[in-house]
Amino acid sequence: MLKNNAIGIAIGLLVMGGIWGLVHLMGESRPEPNLSAESIPGDSKGVMDLICELELDLDGQLALGIKESEPARITMAQIDFEKKSGWYQGKIAISESRSGTLQPMGTRLKIYRPAMFQRFGVMITGEEFVLDRKTGSFVQSLSLNDGRNVKLIKGTCAKVIKPPF
């Protein structure tokens, strides 16, 4: 009797699982949400404050021979459309006191700053970050004196929305 009940329960679960699977396969698939050209809200004027979760890019870490492991970190960034500049906080960053030049490229915002300093055993000649307003994607790259461009930091940003109080 117990064996028959167990078999019945197993068959019932299989049938229910099959029906559930068919409903989801045959049912209307939900369309992906329409992402506007600017999913990070705001127009291209004034100041846009951002909060970003960033981490080292493994390929960039290997290319520069960085052996230390860095945890992901939350940091601030800002795009100033009036001054055509931007910055973000971090150890290897385009700082607020030495912001970079803004170059809009469709839904992407590129902030670039020439540099001349040695780090990781190489001479760094430029640093930039690109923020994709459609996806929130953030990528920071370093230009090296040997002609390489190394993506070192990646992550996601969102616009800081200030409450009305």
Side-chain angles (χ1 to χ4, degrees):
M1 173 85 173
L2 201 54
K3 184 177 176 184
N4 288 339
N5 284 343
I7 291 173
I9 290 172
I11 290 173
L13 289 174
L14 285 172
V15 169
M16 289 302 294
I19 291 171
W20 183 83
L22 283 174
V23 166
H24 282 84
L25 281 176
M26 303 299 279
E28 244 182 81
S29 61
R30 286 194 308 169
E32 290 196 23
N34 287 335
L35 293 175
S36 67
E38 295 179 349
S39 288
I40 294 179
D43 49 14
S44 296
K45 59 184 174 188
V47 175
M48 182 169 47
D49 292 316
L50 302 161
I51 188 161
C52 306
E53 182 175 14
L54 306 177
E55 64 185 3
L56 280 177
D57 182 89
L58 183 59
D59 291 335
Q61 189 176 355
L62 294 173
L64 294 174
I66 300 171
K67 298 199 182 348
E68 301 87 34
S69 178
E70 286 283 329
R73 64 179 65 197
I74 303 293
T75 189
M76 297 298 296
Q78 187 179 77
I79 308 291
D80 189 332
F81 293 101
E82 305 293 319
K83 294 180 181 176
K84 295 183 177 21
S85 67
W87 55 268
Y88 80 97
Q89 299 171 333
K91 285 185 178 179
I92 308 161
I94 298 176
S95 64
E96 186 174 2
S97 63
R98 293 185 55 226
S99 59
T101 305
L102 170 64
Q103 180 182 15
M105 304 179 312
T107 62
R108 297 177 344 148
L109 302 172
K110 177 180 174 182
I111 308 296
Y112 177 78
R113 180 178 81 180
M116 189 59 71
F117 61 91
Q118 185 143 357
R119 189 122 185 216
F120 314 114
V122 295
M123 183 61 72
I124 297 171
T125 58
E127 47 190 340
E128 72 180 39
F129 70 91
V130 176
L131 174 69
D132 190 328
R133 293 179 79 173
K134 187 173 183 179
T135 64
S137 169
F138 176 103
V139 177
Q140 185 248 16
S141 303
L142 300 177
S143 300
L144 309 180
N145 67 339
D146 62 6
R148 290 185 295 161
N149 191 344
V150 177
K151 292 180 182 172
L152 185 59
I153 299 173
K154 64 181 179 179
T156 306
C157 296
K159 184 175 179 185
V160 175
I161 310 253
K162 296 180 181 161
F165 46 87

